[in-house]
Amino acid sequence: MSLYSADLTRPYCPVLDSRRIRSSGGPVIRKFGQDFEWSELHTESSALEPLRQVGDPEMDALLEELQPRPSDDVYSLIVSKAAEDSESAAARFLAEAGTVPEWVDWELIERGALTFVRLLPLASVVLFNASLVGGFSAPKITKVLDASGYLTAEQPRAVMRRLFE
């Protein structure tokens, strides 16, 4: 099947033969316009539900201190607050986030970075054509993006930076 003869009535993107699920016995699940085969690697929602109640007290304190609006660049707020008050939750957050764990393998990171740079042009094509367009067209995702202001035009530079990230 070529792209030009694909079934365009399906949401998000045409399904080429390479994207068809070749079932190995597990049930095929259809969610948000995407199909996948359920396996033992997936976790039931009942096991994930208790995790919704797990919080992050340090981040909660930081957000309480900053009181950011949806359109704010939170990182800039953190840096500003940490610069003006070295005892603030923002300063503690930057100190902790800036500490490199002992287990970091810098040679492996360098190898990954070189691979990333080598494959970047292809990754950009896949990102744009598969995940950004398809993902951001899912109604539940766009509600979150709209409510959070993550990709709104209020701060075009921040939006472009996020897209390039």
Side-chain angles (χ1 to χ4, degrees):
M1 170 192 264
S2 78
L3 181 62
Y4 301 106
S5 63
D7 178 10
L8 299 178
T9 62
R10 290 189 52 130
Y12 306 118
C13 63
V15 178
L16 303 174
D17 286 337
S18 63
R19 294 204 34 147
R20 294 200 189 284
I21 293 179
R22 287 155 181 82
S23 180
S24 60
V28 175
I29 308 296
R30 180 172 177 77
K31 291 284 184 183
F32 308 115
Q34 301 295 317
D35 298 338
F36 67 94
E37 183 177 355
W38 191 269
S39 75
E40 70 279 351
L41 299 174
H42 293 92
T43 304
E44 294 283 341
S45 61
S46 59
L48 295 173
E49 191 60 36
L51 298 176
R52 291 179 185 262
Q53 304 306 315
V54 175
D56 183 345
E58 291 82 10
M59 184 55 67
D60 291 342
L62 176 59
L63 293 174
E64 182 68 30
E65 180 178 274
L66 297 175
Q67 295 291 311
R69 296 176 310 230
S71 61
D72 286 341
D73 181 349
V74 177
Y75 181 72
S76 295
L77 291 176
I78 293 170
V79 171
S80 296
K81 182 67 175 178
E84 70 184 44
D85 181 1
S86 63
E87 300 299 317
S88 65
R92 289 190 303 275
F93 170 79
L94 287 179
E96 184 178 335
T99 303
V100 179
E102 292 180 20
W103 50 261
V104 171
D105 182 344
W106 289 107
E107 288 179 16
L108 189 59
I109 289 176
E110 183 177 359
R111 184 174 155 208
L114 292 172
T115 302
F116 176 79
V117 169
R118 188 177 77 238
L119 299 176
L120 183 59
L122 292 175
S124 299
V125 170
V126 170
L127 178 66
F128 180 74
N129 289 302
S131 68
L132 281 177
V133 174
F136 289 173
S137 65
K140 287 188 176 184
I141 294 172
T142 55
K143 283 182 183 177
V144 171
L145 291 172
D146 188 43
S148 66
Y150 191 74
L151 291 177
T152 61
E154 289 180 34
Q155 295 185 351
R157 286 184 178 199
V159 170
M160 290 308 295
R161 190 184 77 235
R162 288 179 185 125
L163 288 173
F164 284 124
E165 288 171 349

